[in-house]
Amino acid sequence: MVNGSEVITIERFIMEQERLYPEATGELSNLLYDLCLAAKIISRHVRRAGLSDILGAAGAVNVSGDLQQKLDLFANETVRNSVQHTGRVCVTASEEDPEPVPVPPGKAAGKYVVLYDPLDGSMNIDVNVSIGTIFSIHKRVTKKNGTAGLADCLQVGKKQIAAGYILYGSSTMLVYTTGQGVHGFTLDPTIGEFLLSHPDIRTPPVGRYYSVNESNWNRWTPPVQRVVAAFKNGEGTVQPKNARYIGSLVADFHRNLISGGIFLYPAATNYPQGKLRLLYEAAPLAFVVAQAGGRATDGCRPILDIVPASLHQKTPLVIGSKDDVAFAARILSTEAVVGAK
Ligand code: P6P
């Protein structure tokens, strides 16, 4: 119950948001519902992962070299099947597919593009740690009578129409933005509805937590080491923070979004471009965090300003409470320039 008085379903909330735009056709609203359906289906299977033959590795790796899990592939197909038959989408692209997937011949191609990570953190599935789905929605840029493809996917983050994630945690939550704030919905499995539980999420300017895999310490540059040490021990006006790192981006991001915190996956000698993907991990979360009052950079540049050159392009990521991200950028920008001389 929200405010102890009424239940607001995601359907009602999306409709009320749509009414703010008289020119809205309802296609984006319906696309968001399609993603809700995918979220419910994936959630059902994630919740039963230990009871059905859907655990474990699928025996292949994706284009980024990540070992694909059976649930990865199930989630990948579920999202695509939920959006590609509706005439609202022209092309999808996923972490699990090497190339963009246009809607099948004979199917109406709509004006939206869906980029997604179907099940981020999937190595945590077998040990029952929270995992998530991340999605990014753009408008088609190629001509309607052509075939949609890569050009429709390689769009700068600040042009996103909507973005969000589903967190399969202690409860299943869907959090999204269309540029009008960030709103969180919790799935009530007894009625199969996402109910508004976190209206207008705002993230504190200074975080309680810092989230980073410190086993990479010796693989980082000295400026990165200084930033992490500052969050650990304090530096100047930066107070020491609690360390929290689950190793599942959506779970770490969501905790920090609600409580305040900073997540870092910097470049390292083993990940010279960073580990996380720009188009369907960093950019959608950067849109969400910006709408909640936070920030996201690659250490120096705003994530939302980075023009992608390839579909599975990786980027270093520093994301969360705006003052903490700004502190990191001051050090990483200055010392990066010094280092470059
Ligand atoms: P590491 C999961 O594999 C993932 O893509 C993100 O969900 C997570 O934040 C990161 O990688 C964890 O990487 O190198 O710390 O195990």
Side-chain angles (χ1 to χ4, degrees), residues 120-121 213 216 245 247-249 263 265 271 275-277 281:
D120 179 76
N213 185 340
N216 288 323
Y245 191 72
S248 189
L249 173 60
F263 173 97
Y265 211 107
Y271 289 113
K275 177 181 183 184
L276 301 173
R277 273 58 55 134
E281 290 174 333

Side-chain angles (χ1 to χ4, degrees), residues 157-158 160 163 177 179-182 200-203 253 257 282-297 302-304 319-322 325:
K158 59 190 169 189
Q160 289 176 95
T177 184
Q180 298 302 317
V182 179
D200 198 19
I201 297 172
R202 304 294 294 168
T203 197
F253 174 83
L257 181 76
L285 297 183
F287 188 15
V288 169
V289 81
Q291 283 290 311
R295 291 287 179 275
T297 69
I303 290 289
L304 294 177
I319 187 168
S321 294
K322 69 178 178 69
V325 173

Side-chain angles (χ1 to χ4, degrees), residues 66 95 117 119-124 130-132 134 212-216 219 245-253 263-265 270-271 275-277 281:
D66 301 332
E95 175 182 310
D117 181 355
L119 212 56
D120 179 76
S122 56
M123 291 307 286
N124 292 306
S130 300
I131 51 184
I134 309 171
V212 68
N213 185 340
E214 295 199 49
S215 70
N216 288 323
R219 301 188 183 101
Y245 191 72
I246 298 174
S248 189
L249 173 60
V250 174
D252 279 319
F253 174 83
F263 173 97
L264 308 94
Y265 211 107
N270 55 340
Y271 289 113
K275 177 181 183 184
L276 301 173
R277 273 58 55 134
E281 290 174 333

Side-chain angles (χ1 to χ4, degrees), residues 186-203:
T186 300
L187 181 63
D188 180 337
T190 65
I191 58 174
E193 282 287 357
F194 278 103
L195 306 181
L196 181 65
S197 53
H198 297 70
D200 198 19
I201 297 172
R202 304 294 294 168
T203 197

Side-chain angles (χ1 to χ4, degrees), residues 229-248:
F231 291 140
K232 184 203 293 270
N233 307 316
E235 177 182 318
T237 57
V238 174
Q239 298 301 309
K241 303 178 187 296
N242 267 336
R244 290 287 186 280
Y245 191 72
I246 298 174
S248 189

Side-chain angles (χ1 to χ4, degrees), residues 15-28:
M15 283 307 296
E16 287 172 354
Q17 290 268 307
E18 181 188 315
R19 288 196 194 103
L20 300 174
Y21 302 92
E23 73 284 4
T25 63
E27 286 179 275
L28 179 60

Side-chain angles (χ1 to χ4, degrees), residues 39 42-43 46-47 71-72 75-76 79 95-96 116-125 129-135 164-169 171-175 246-254 280-281 285:
I42 296 167
S43 178
V46 166
R47 302 277 171 231
L71 259 178
D72 277 330
N76 192 41
V79 172
E95 175 182 310
E96 304 307 333
Y116 64 103
D117 181 355
L119 212 56
D120 179 76
S122 56
M123 291 307 286
N124 292 306
I125 293 170
V129 167
S130 300
I131 51 184
T133 298
I134 309 171
F135 62 88
Y165 57 89
I166 298 99
L167 174 60
Y168 311 100
S171 61
T172 294
M173 274 195 75
L174 188 152
V175 177
I246 298 174
S248 189
L249 173 60
V250 174
D252 279 319
F253 174 83
H254 181 73
Y280 40 79
E281 290 174 333
L285 297 183

